[in-house]
Amino acid sequence: MRNKTFKRRCEKRRLSKIVGICRTYDPIQYAYADVLEADDEIAEIRVNVPLDGLVIDGKEYVSDFVCVRTDGILMVRECVFKEHLGKPLTVKLLDASRDYWKRKGIRDWGIVIDETSEER
């Protein structure tokens, strides 16, 4: 989950399951897009999906991935660096995202965390 007006280096590329250009803003998002692209159970991927009507501290936000599985069920994934998990703002944003999607009827919500070389 990131600020809708996020200003940072953006990697642009084309993936077959994404309509348009896939824009990723960090290594976790970039790598997870590849994971989703290779997953046969994922039919469509949407990246940086606006959370319409959700404003936190005067800012609008987007979810990292909203995917349509082959069974038609939507799943949402938020990418987070492991060292940010304990930060109050990160927790607040993740809770807001989970609550937003839960109100929309989405039950398959989760986070994607980076892995360090020691954990592999």
CSV table of all heavy atoms in Angstrom, one decimal, residues 1-10 25 48-51 54 56-63:
chain,number,residue,atom,x,y,z
A,1,MET,N,0.9,-1.2,0.0
A,1,MET,CA,0.0,0.0,0.0
A,1,MET,C,0.9,1.2,0.0
A,1,MET,O,1.8,1.3,0.8
A,1,MET,CB,-0.9,0.0,1.2
A,1,MET,CG,-1.9,1.0,1.3
A,1,MET,SD,-3.1,0.7,2.6
A,1,MET,CE,-3.9,2.2,2.6
A,2,ARG,N,0.6,2.1,-0.9
A,2,ARG,CA,1.4,3.3,-1.0
A,2,ARG,C,0.5,4.5,-1.3
A,2,ARG,O,-0.6,4.4,-1.8
A,2,ARG,CB,2.5,3.2,-2.0
A,2,ARG,CG,2.1,3.0,-3.4
A,2,ARG,CD,3.3,2.6,-4.3
A,2,ARG,NE,3.5,1.2,-4.1
A,2,ARG,CZ,4.6,0.6,-3.5
A,2,ARG,NH1,5.5,1.4,-3.1
A,2,ARG,NH2,4.7,-0.6,-3.4
A,3,ASN,N,1.1,5.7,-1.1
A,3,ASN,CA,0.4,6.9,-1.3
A,3,ASN,C,0.1,7.0,-2.8
A,3,ASN,O,0.9,6.7,-3.7
A,3,ASN,CB,1.4,8.1,-0.9
A,3,ASN,CG,0.7,9.4,-1.0
A,3,ASN,OD1,-0.1,9.7,-1.9
A,3,ASN,ND2,1.1,10.3,-0.1
A,4,LYS,N,-1.1,7.5,-3.2
A,4,LYS,CA,-1.5,7.6,-4.6
A,4,LYS,C,-0.6,8.5,-5.4
A,4,LYS,O,-0.4,8.2,-6.6
A,4,LYS,CB,-3.0,8.1,-4.6
A,4,LYS,CG,-3.6,8.0,-6.0
A,4,LYS,CD,-5.0,8.5,-5.9
A,4,LYS,CE,-5.7,8.4,-7.2
A,4,LYS,NZ,-7.1,8.7,-7.1
A,5,THR,N,0.0,9.5,-4.8
A,5,THR,CA,0.9,10.4,-5.5
A,5,THR,C,2.3,10.1,-5.2
A,5,THR,O,3.2,11.0,-5.3
A,5,THR,CB,0.6,11.9,-5.1
A,5,THR,OG1,0.8,12.0,-3.7
A,5,THR,CG2,-0.8,12.3,-5.5
A,6,PHE,N,2.6,8.8,-5.0
A,6,PHE,CA,4.0,8.3,-4.7
A,6,PHE,C,4.9,8.8,-5.8
A,6,PHE,O,4.7,8.5,-7.0
A,6,PHE,CB,3.9,6.8,-4.6
A,6,PHE,CG,5.2,6.2,-4.1
A,6,PHE,CD1,5.4,6.3,-2.7
A,6,PHE,CD2,6.0,5.5,-4.9
A,6,PHE,CE1,6.6,5.6,-2.2
A,6,PHE,CE2,7.1,4.8,-4.4
A,6,PHE,CZ,7.4,4.9,-3.0
A,7,LYS,N,6.0,9.5,-5.4
A,7,LYS,CA,7.0,10.0,-6.4
A,7,LYS,C,8.3,9.3,-6.1
A,7,LYS,O,9.0,9.6,-5.1
A,7,LYS,CB,7.2,11.5,-6.2
A,7,LYS,CG,5.9,12.3,-6.4
A,7,LYS,CD,5.5,12.4,-7.8
A,7,LYS,CE,4.4,13.3,-8.0
A,7,LYS,NZ,3.4,13.0,-9.0
A,8,ARG,N,8.6,8.3,-6.9
A,8,ARG,CA,9.9,7.6,-6.8
A,8,ARG,C,10.1,6.9,-8.1
A,8,ARG,O,9.3,6.8,-9.0
A,8,ARG,CB,9.7,6.5,-5.7
A,8,ARG,CG,11.0,6.3,-5.0
A,8,ARG,CD,10.8,5.2,-4.0
A,8,ARG,NE,11.5,5.6,-2.8
A,8,ARG,CZ,11.5,4.8,-1.7
A,8,ARG,NH1,10.8,3.7,-1.7
A,8,ARG,NH2,12.2,5.2,-0.7
A,9,ARG,N,11.3,6.3,-8.3
A,9,ARG,CA,11.6,5.6,-9.5
A,9,ARG,C,10.6,4.5,-9.7
A,9,ARG,O,10.3,3.7,-8.8
A,9,ARG,CB,13.0,5.0,-9.4
A,9,ARG,CG,13.5,4.3,-10.6
A,9,ARG,CD,15.0,4.0,-10.5
A,9,ARG,NE,15.5,3.5,-11.7
A,9,ARG,CZ,15.5,2.2,-12.0
A,9,ARG,NH1,15.1,1.3,-11.1
A,9,ARG,NH2,16.0,1.8,-13.2
A,10,CYS,N,10.2,4.4,-11.0
A,10,CYS,CA,9.2,3.4,-11.3
A,10,CYS,C,9.7,2.5,-12.4
A,10,CYS,O,10.3,3.0,-13.4
A,10,CYS,CB,8.0,4.2,-11.8
A,10,CYS,SG,6.7,3.1,-12.5
A,25,TYR,N,7.2,-0.1,-7.9
A,25,TYR,CA,8.0,1.0,-7.3
A,25,TYR,C,9.0,0.5,-6.3
A,25,TYR,O,9.7,1.2,-5.7
A,25,TYR,CB,7.0,1.9,-6.5
A,25,TYR,CG,6.1,2.7,-7.5
A,25,TYR,CD1,4.9,2.2,-7.8
A,25,TYR,CD2,6.6,3.8,-8.1
A,25,TYR,CE1,4.1,2.9,-8.7
A,25,TYR,CE2,5.8,4.5,-9.0
A,25,TYR,CZ,4.5,4.0,-9.3
A,25,TYR,OH,3.8,4.7,-10.2
A,48,ASN,N,-1.4,-1.3,-8.3
A,48,ASN,CA,-1.6,0.1,-7.8
A,48,ASN,C,-3.1,0.5,-8.0
A,48,ASN,O,-3.4,1.5,-8.6
A,48,ASN,CB,-0.7,1.0,-8.5
A,48,ASN,CG,0.8,0.6,-8.3
A,48,ASN,OD1,1.2,0.3,-7.2
A,48,ASN,ND2,1.5,0.6,-9.4
A,49,VAL,N,-4.0,-0.3,-7.4
A,49,VAL,CA,-5.4,0.0,-7.5
A,49,VAL,C,-5.8,1.0,-6.4
A,49,VAL,O,-5.6,0.8,-5.2
A,49,VAL,CB,-6.2,-1.3,-7.3
A,49,VAL,CG1,-7.7,-1.1,-7.3
A,49,VAL,CG2,-5.8,-2.4,-8.3
A,50,PRO,N,-6.5,2.1,-6.9
A,50,PRO,CA,-6.9,3.2,-5.9
A,50,PRO,C,-7.9,2.7,-4.9
A,50,PRO,O,-8.8,1.9,-5.3
A,50,PRO,CB,-7.5,4.2,-6.8
A,50,PRO,CG,-7.0,4.0,-8.2
A,50,PRO,CD,-6.7,2.5,-8.3
A,51,LEU,N,-7.8,3.1,-3.7
A,51,LEU,CA,-8.7,2.8,-2.6
A,51,LEU,C,-9.7,4.0,-2.6
A,51,LEU,O,-9.5,4.9,-1.8
A,51,LEU,CB,-8.0,2.6,-1.3
A,51,LEU,CG,-7.0,1.4,-1.3
A,51,LEU,CD1,-6.2,1.4,0.0
A,51,LEU,CD2,-7.7,0.1,-1.5
A,54,LEU,N,-11.0,6.3,0.5
A,54,LEU,CA,-10.2,6.1,1.7
A,54,LEU,C,-9.1,7.2,1.8
A,54,LEU,O,-8.2,7.2,0.9
A,54,LEU,CB,-9.5,4.7,1.7
A,54,LEU,CG,-8.7,4.4,2.9
A,54,LEU,CD1,-9.5,4.3,4.2
A,54,LEU,CD2,-7.9,3.1,2.7
A,56,ILE,N,-6.4,8.9,4.5
A,56,ILE,CA,-5.7,8.8,5.8
A,56,ILE,C,-4.8,10.0,5.9
A,56,ILE,O,-3.9,10.1,5.1
A,56,ILE,CB,-5.0,7.5,5.9
A,56,ILE,CG1,-6.0,6.3,5.8
A,56,ILE,CG2,-4.3,7.4,7.3
A,56,ILE,CD1,-5.3,4.9,5.7
A,57,ASP,N,-5.0,10.7,7.0
A,57,ASP,CA,-4.1,11.9,7.2
A,57,ASP,C,-4.0,12.8,6.0
A,57,ASP,O,-3.0,13.3,5.6
A,57,ASP,CB,-2.7,11.5,7.6
A,57,ASP,CG,-2.7,10.7,8.9
A,57,ASP,OD1,-3.6,10.9,9.8
A,57,ASP,OD2,-1.8,9.8,9.1
A,58,GLY,N,-5.2,13.0,5.3
A,58,GLY,CA,-5.3,13.9,4.1
A,58,GLY,C,-4.7,13.3,2.8
A,58,GLY,O,-4.6,14.0,1.8
A,59,LYS,N,-4.3,12.0,2.8
A,59,LYS,CA,-3.7,11.4,1.6
A,59,LYS,C,-4.5,10.2,1.1
A,59,LYS,O,-5.1,9.5,1.9
A,59,LYS,CB,-2.3,10.9,1.9
A,59,LYS,CG,-1.3,12.1,2.3
A,59,LYS,CD,0.0,11.5,2.6
A,59,LYS,CE,0.9,12.7,3.1
A,59,LYS,NZ,2.2,12.2,3.6
A,60,GLU,N,-4.5,10.0,-0.2
A,60,GLU,CA,-5.2,8.9,-0.8
A,60,GLU,C,-4.2,7.8,-1.0
A,60,GLU,O,-3.0,8.1,-1.3
A,60,GLU,CB,-5.9,9.3,-2.1
A,60,GLU,CG,-7.0,10.3,-1.9
A,60,GLU,CD,-7.5,10.7,-3.3
A,60,GLU,OE1,-8.3,9.9,-3.8
A,60,GLU,OE2,-7.2,11.8,-3.8
A,61,TYR,N,-4.6,6.6,-1.0
A,61,TYR,CA,-3.7,5.4,-1.1
A,61,TYR,C,-4.2,4.4,-2.2
A,61,TYR,O,-5.3,4.5,-2.6
A,61,TYR,CB,-3.6,4.7,0.2
A,61,TYR,CG,-2.8,5.5,1.2
A,61,TYR,CD1,-3.4,6.5,2.0
A,61,TYR,CD2,-1.4,5.4,1.3
A,61,TYR,CE1,-2.7,7.3,2.8
A,61,TYR,CE2,-0.7,6.2,2.2
A,61,TYR,CZ,-1.3,7.1,2.9
A,61,TYR,OH,-0.6,7.9,3.8
A,62,VAL,N,-3.2,3.5,-2.6
A,62,VAL,CA,-3.5,2.5,-3.5
A,62,VAL,C,-3.1,1.1,-2.9
A,62,VAL,O,-2.1,1.1,-2.1
A,62,VAL,CB,-2.8,2.7,-4.9
A,62,VAL,CG1,-3.3,4.0,-5.6
A,62,VAL,CG2,-1.3,2.7,-4.7
A,63,SER,N,-3.8,0.1,-3.3
A,63,SER,CA,-3.3,-1.3,-3.0
A,63,SER,C,-2.3,-1.8,-4.0
A,63,SER,O,-2.5,-1.5,-5.2
A,63,SER,CB,-4.5,-2.2,-2.9
A,63,SER,OG,-5.2,-2.1,-1.7
